[in-house]
Amino acid sequence: MSDDTHRFEAVYRATYDQITAYAGRRCDSPQDAADVVAETFVIVWRKIEVLPPGAQARLWVYGVARNVLADHRRGALRRQARHRDLDAEMADLYGDLADRSVERNAIAQAFATLPEDDRELLALVAWEGMDRREIAAMLGLSRNAVRIRLHRARRRLSRALEVADVRFTPTDAVVPTGRSL
């Protein structure tokens, strides 16, 4: 083994528990702490030639961990900003008025009472915008079988919505744009 390998192993053994505790106290999850520790020691290995000798090595490794943690936090902030942007975009595209949230919950509960096959068919139409031909190809069924199953699923959903006391007007109908069902 080379001197660098011996030096790295010695520093790793001497500081691993301390760096793990340091990261664990500062990260939101054990997985994040493990990522910070791993990245810290990757950097220590890559920069082994600038690792100070003796007791200063421990402090240098802490400095590396501090920088890795700062990078990790900046990355988390960027991801959170992207999530907020995506949430806002999705709300703009698919959001409803706030006063309809109770109705949405009732619809979601009625939908959840349906058999899995019904939920899948209805979701393929409403959420994925697929027509009967596409659904038939995807599920390996005939278009007629899809038509019949979809009709029955809609009837069961309609009954579940009646039980939940959800009423719709013709303007409330959800039909994917540019599609005929």
Side-chain angles (χ1 to χ4, degrees):
M1 278 193 206
S2 71
D3 288 340
D4 287 347
T5 303
H6 285 298
R7 215 164 149 224
F8 175 80
E9 287 177 353
V11 168
Y12 182 86
R13 280 192 302 277
T15 62
Y16 178 81
D17 290 340
Q18 296 166 339
I19 298 302
T20 300
Y22 174 84
R25 288 188 292 270
R26 287 161 177 78
C27 290
D28 294 333
S29 72
Q31 294 84 2
D32 289 345
D35 289 346
V36 167
V37 171
E39 181 65 22
T40 296
F41 285 106
V42 165
I43 292 170
V44 170
W45 173 251
R46 277 189 295 178
K47 296 187 174 196
I48 195 74
E49 70 279 352
V50 296
L51 179 69
Q56 292 298 315
R58 179 177 153 271
L59 298 176
W60 186 83
V61 173
Y62 266 103
V64 170
R66 181 177 177 270
N67 291 338
V68 169
L69 187 59
D71 287 345
H72 179 77
R73 286 181 178 152
R74 281 190 293 273
L77 290 173
R78 282 191 301 273
R79 283 188 298 281
Q80 287 171 355
R82 284 194 305 262
H83 285 234
R84 278 192 305 273
D85 293 346
L86 180 60
D87 288 347
E89 184 179 326
M90 295 302 282
D92 288 346
L93 289 172
Y94 302 108
D96 287 332
L97 300 174
D99 61 343
R100 307 235 7 219
S101 65
V102 171
E103 190 173 271
R104 274 196 319 265
N105 288 337
I107 293 168
Q109 289 173 356
F111 186 76
T113 66
L114 297 176
E116 176 65 30
D117 289 343
D118 287 355
R119 289 194 312 263
E120 178 66 16
L121 279 174
L122 294 170
L124 289 172
V125 170
W127 298 337
E128 308 306 328
M130 291 186 181
D131 63 22
R132 286 185 295 230
R133 178 187 50 78
E134 293 168 324
I135 294 170
M138 179 185 157
L139 299 179
L141 300 170
S142 70
R143 285 176 57 184
N144 193 45
V146 170
R147 183 185 62 77
I148 292 167
R149 289 181 184 190
L150 193 54
H151 173 73
R152 290 177 182 162
R154 286 177 176 150
R155 251 192 3 226
R156 284 189 279 270
L157 178 60
S158 181
R159 277 188 245 132
L161 291 172
E162 285 176 20
V163 169
D165 199 32
V166 175
R167 304 281 182 237
F168 288 102
T169 64
T171 59
D172 290 331
V174 177
V175 177
T177 318
R179 299 284 184 135
S180 65
L181 300 173

